[in-house]
mmCIF file of all heavy atoms in Angstrom:
data_model
loop_
_atom_site.group_PDB
_atom_site.id
_atom_site.type_symbol
_atom_site.label_atom_id
_atom_site.label_comp_id
_atom_site.label_asym_id
_atom_site.label_seq_id
_atom_site.Cartn_x
_atom_site.Cartn_y
_atom_site.Cartn_z
ATOM 1 N N LEU A 141 11.112 9.426 25.231
ATOM 2 C CA LEU A 141 10.026 9.778 24.319
ATOM 3 C C LEU A 141 8.837 10.377 25.066
ATOM 4 O O LEU A 141 8.147 11.244 24.546
ATOM 5 C CB LEU A 141 9.584 8.543 23.520
ATOM 6 C CG LEU A 141 10.638 7.982 22.567
ATOM 7 C CD1 LEU A 141 10.121 6.731 21.877
ATOM 8 C CD2 LEU A 141 11.059 9.020 21.538
ATOM 9 N N ALA A 142 8.596 9.898 26.278
ATOM 10 C CA ALA A 142 7.488 10.437 27.052
ATOM 11 C C ALA A 142 7.747 11.890 27.429
ATOM 12 O O ALA A 142 6.838 12.712 27.446
ATOM 13 C CB ALA A 142 7.273 9.588 28.309
ATOM 14 N N SER A 143 8.993 12.209 27.761
ATOM 15 C CA SER A 143 9.288 13.567 28.212
ATOM 16 C C SER A 143 9.704 14.487 27.068
ATOM 17 O O SER A 143 9.448 15.681 27.119
ATOM 18 C CB SER A 143 10.394 13.538 29.278
ATOM 19 O OG SER A 143 11.605 13.047 28.731
ATOM 20 N N ARG A 144 10.339 13.923 26.036
ATOM 21 C CA ARG A 144 10.884 14.764 24.964
ATOM 22 C C ARG A 144 10.473 14.282 23.569
ATOM 23 O O ARG A 144 11.152 14.575 22.599
ATOM 24 C CB ARG A 144 12.414 14.755 25.018
ATOM 25 C CG ARG A 144 13.020 15.139 26.334
ATOM 26 C CD ARG A 144 13.234 16.630 26.412
ATOM 27 N NE ARG A 144 14.100 17.016 27.494
ATOM 28 C CZ ARG A 144 15.213 17.734 27.357
ATOM 29 N NH1 ARG A 144 15.594 18.127 26.160
ATOM 30 N NH2 ARG A 144 15.936 18.053 28.399
ATOM 31 N N GLY A 145 9.361 13.544 23.489
ATOM 32 C CA GLY A 145 8.993 12.923 22.222
ATOM 33 C C GLY A 145 8.899 13.898 21.062
ATOM 34 O O GLY A 145 9.231 13.571 19.926
ATOM 35 N N GLN A 146 8.439 15.119 21.339
ATOM 36 C CA GLN A 146 8.301 16.105 20.262
ATOM 37 C C GLN A 146 9.655 16.547 19.727
ATOM 38 O O GLN A 146 9.752 17.058 18.603
ATOM 39 C CB GLN A 146 7.541 17.333 20.777
ATOM 40 C CG GLN A 146 6.105 17.061 21.133
ATOM 41 C CD GLN A 146 5.317 16.557 19.944
ATOM 42 O OE1 GLN A 146 5.443 17.062 18.843
ATOM 43 N NE2 GLN A 146 4.510 15.521 20.154
ATOM 44 N N ASP A 147 10.701 16.358 20.538
ATOM 45 C CA ASP A 147 12.037 16.812 20.135
ATOM 46 C C ASP A 147 12.919 15.673 19.636
ATOM 47 O O ASP A 147 14.033 15.910 19.199
ATOM 48 C CB ASP A 147 12.729 17.495 21.321
ATOM 49 C CG ASP A 147 12.003 18.746 21.754
ATOM 50 O OD1 ASP A 147 11.446 19.431 20.878
ATOM 51 O OD2 ASP A 147 11.973 19.029 22.964
ATOM 52 N N VAL A 148 12.435 14.438 19.724
ATOM 53 C CA VAL A 148 13.198 13.298 19.201
ATOM 54 C C VAL A 148 12.577 12.925 17.861
ATOM 55 O O VAL A 148 11.625 12.150 17.792
ATOM 56 C CB VAL A 148 13.180 12.109 20.180
ATOM 57 C CG1 VAL A 148 14.019 10.947 19.626
ATOM 58 C CG2 VAL A 148 13.714 12.520 21.539
ATOM 59 N N LEU A 149 13.076 13.510 16.783
ATOM 60 C CA LEU A 149 12.440 13.352 15.474
ATOM 61 C C LEU A 149 12.706 11.974 14.873
ATOM 62 O O LEU A 149 11.903 11.470 14.094
ATOM 63 C CB LEU A 149 12.933 14.438 14.523
ATOM 64 C CG LEU A 149 12.724 15.888 14.998
ATOM 65 C CD1 LEU A 149 13.141 16.861 13.912
ATOM 66 C CD2 LEU A 149 11.275 16.114 15.395
ATOM 67 N N ARG A 150 13.838 11.354 15.225
ATOM 68 C CA ARG A 150 14.152 10.051 14.631
ATOM 69 C C ARG A 150 15.130 9.316 15.509
ATOM 70 O O ARG A 150 16.057 9.910 16.073
ATOM 71 C CB ARG A 150 14.785 10.255 13.233
ATOM 72 C CG ARG A 150 14.931 9.006 12.405
ATOM 73 C CD ARG A 150 13.590 8.582 11.891
ATOM 74 N NE ARG A 150 13.624 7.302 11.234
ATOM 75 C CZ ARG A 150 13.949 7.109 9.955
ATOM 76 N NH1 ARG A 150 14.283 8.139 9.209
ATOM 77 N NH2 ARG A 150 13.942 5.897 9.443
ATOM 78 N N VAL A 151 14.904 8.003 15.621
ATOM 79 C CA VAL A 151 15.865 7.093 16.256
ATOM 80 C C VAL A 151 15.994 5.896 15.334
ATOM 81 O O VAL A 151 14.985 5.308 14.945
ATOM 82 C CB VAL A 151 15.371 6.593 17.635
ATOM 83 C CG1 VAL A 151 16.381 5.628 18.234
ATOM 84 C CG2 VAL A 151 15.105 7.729 18.571
ATOM 85 N N LYS A 152 17.196 5.549 14.966
ATOM 86 C CA LYS A 152 17.362 4.336 14.167
ATOM 87 C C LYS A 152 18.769 3.799 14.335
ATOM 88 O O LYS A 152 19.678 4.535 14.700
ATOM 89 C CB LYS A 152 17.053 4.580 12.691
ATOM 90 C CG LYS A 152 18.025 5.453 11.954
ATOM 91 C CD LYS A 152 17.638 5.610 10.478
ATOM 92 C CE LYS A 152 17.831 4.329 9.715
ATOM 93 N NZ LYS A 152 17.610 4.523 8.248
ATOM 94 N N GLY A 153 18.895 2.505 14.071
ATOM 95 C CA GLY A 153 20.227 1.932 14.131
ATOM 96 C C GLY A 153 20.211 0.493 14.583
ATOM 97 O O GLY A 153 19.181 -0.176 14.545
ATOM 98 N N LEU A 154 21.378 0.016 14.978
ATOM 99 C CA LEU A 154 21.572 -1.361 15.420
ATOM 100 C C LEU A 154 22.047 -1.347 16.865
ATOM 101 O O LEU A 154 22.975 -0.606 17.202
ATOM 102 C CB LEU A 154 22.629 -2.058 14.543
ATOM 103 C CG LEU A 154 22.364 -2.072 13.036
ATOM 104 C CD1 LEU A 154 23.520 -2.743 12.303
ATOM 105 C CD2 LEU A 154 21.056 -2.791 12.723
ATOM 106 N N LEU A 155 21.422 -2.168 17.697
ATOM 107 C CA LEU A 155 21.775 -2.216 19.110
ATOM 108 C C LEU A 155 22.257 -3.611 19.474
ATOM 109 O O LEU A 155 21.541 -4.601 19.243
ATOM 110 C CB LEU A 155 20.566 -1.837 19.973
ATOM 111 C CG LEU A 155 20.821 -1.709 21.471
ATOM 112 C CD1 LEU A 155 21.676 -0.472 21.766
ATOM 113 C CD2 LEU A 155 19.500 -1.621 22.234
ATOM 114 N N ASP A 156 23.453 -3.699 20.032
ATOM 115 C CA ASP A 156 23.996 -4.960 20.516
ATOM 116 C C ASP A 156 23.445 -5.207 21.913
ATOM 117 O O ASP A 156 23.738 -4.455 22.842
ATOM 118 C CB ASP A 156 25.527 -4.888 20.546
ATOM 119 C CG ASP A 156 26.176 -6.180 21.042
ATOM 120 O OD1 ASP A 156 25.442 -7.174 21.268
ATOM 121 O OD2 ASP A 156 27.398 -6.193 21.214
ATOM 122 N N VAL A 157 22.621 -6.265 22.048
ATOM 123 C CA VAL A 157 22.071 -6.598 23.367
ATOM 124 C C VAL A 157 22.652 -7.913 23.869
ATOM 125 O O VAL A 157 22.083 -8.566 24.740
ATOM 126 C CB VAL A 157 20.522 -6.654 23.345
ATOM 127 C CG1 VAL A 157 19.965 -5.277 23.032
ATOM 128 C CG2 VAL A 157 20.000 -7.679 22.341
ATOM 129 N N GLY A 158 23.793 -8.306 23.268
ATOM 130 C CA GLY A 158 24.485 -9.493 23.729
ATOM 131 C C GLY A 158 24.131 -10.760 22.981
ATOM 132 O O GLY A 158 24.592 -11.836 23.353
ATOM 133 N N GLY A 159 23.309 -10.663 21.940
ATOM 134 C CA GLY A 159 22.937 -11.837 21.158
ATOM 135 C C GLY A 159 23.881 -12.066 19.985
ATOM 136 O O GLY A 159 24.871 -11.363 19.831
ATOM 137 N N SER A 160 23.540 -13.037 19.144
ATOM 138 C CA SER A 160 24.384 -13.336 17.983
ATOM 139 C C SER A 160 24.302 -12.244 16.932
ATOM 140 O O SER A 160 25.228 -12.054 16.142
ATOM 141 C CB SER A 160 23.971 -14.684 17.361
ATOM 142 O OG SER A 160 22.598 -14.633 16.999
ATOM 143 N N GLY A 161 23.189 -11.544 16.924
ATOM 144 C CA GLY A 161 23.009 -10.425 16.003
ATOM 145 C C GLY A 161 22.386 -9.251 16.730
ATOM 146 O O GLY A 161 21.958 -9.381 17.877
ATOM 147 N N PRO A 162 22.327 -8.107 16.069
ATOM 148 C CA PRO A 162 21.810 -6.911 16.742
ATOM 149 C C PRO A 162 20.283 -6.822 16.681
ATOM 150 O O PRO A 162 19.627 -7.580 15.964
ATOM 151 C CB PRO A 162 22.421 -5.783 15.913
ATOM 152 C CG PRO A 162 22.463 -6.348 14.527
ATOM 153 C CD PRO A 162 22.768 -7.815 14.700
ATOM 154 N N VAL A 163 19.766 -5.870 17.437
ATOM 155 C CA VAL A 163 18.359 -5.504 17.320
ATOM 156 C C VAL A 163 18.296 -4.273 16.415
ATOM 157 O O VAL A 163 19.037 -3.314 16.621
ATOM 158 C CB VAL A 163 17.756 -5.173 18.704
ATOM 159 C CG1 VAL A 163 16.343 -4.627 18.556
ATOM 160 C CG2 VAL A 163 17.762 -6.405 19.588
ATOM 161 N N VAL A 164 17.452 -4.326 15.410
ATOM 162 C CA VAL A 164 17.292 -3.206 14.484
ATOM 163 C C VAL A 164 16.202 -2.289 15.016
ATOM 164 O O VAL A 164 15.074 -2.730 15.277
ATOM 165 C CB VAL A 164 16.908 -3.696 13.073
ATOM 166 C CG1 VAL A 164 16.776 -2.504 12.122
ATOM 167 C CG2 VAL A 164 17.939 -4.687 12.547
ATOM 168 N N LEU A 165 16.539 -1.042 15.199
ATOM 169 C CA LEU A 165 15.588 -0.068 15.736
ATOM 170 C C LEU A 165 15.244 0.976 14.692
ATOM 171 O O LEU A 165 16.114 1.403 13.928
ATOM 172 C CB LEU A 165 16.207 0.642 16.939
ATOM 173 C CG LEU A 165 16.415 -0.225 18.167
ATOM 174 C CD1 LEU A 165 17.484 0.380 19.046
ATOM 175 C CD2 LEU A 165 15.128 -0.378 18.941
ATOM 176 N N ASN A 166 13.996 1.381 14.672
ATOM 177 C CA ASN A 166 13.574 2.432 13.751
ATOM 178 C C ASN A 166 12.374 3.131 14.356
ATOM 179 O O ASN A 166 11.344 2.502 14.594
ATOM 180 C CB ASN A 166 13.227 1.847 12.377
ATOM 181 C CG ASN A 166 13.091 2.912 11.313
ATOM 182 O OD1 ASN A 166 13.266 4.097 11.577
ATOM 183 N ND2 ASN A 166 12.774 2.493 10.103
#
Side-chain angles (χ1 to χ4, degrees):
Chain A
L141 295 177
S143 64
R144 306 271 194 124
Q146 294 300 317
D147 296 326
V148 182
L149 303 185
R150 191 74 188 275
V151 179
K152 69 179 290 187
L154 304 178
L155 186 70
D156 180 5
V157 296
S160 58
V163 173
V164 181
L165 292 158
N166 193 1

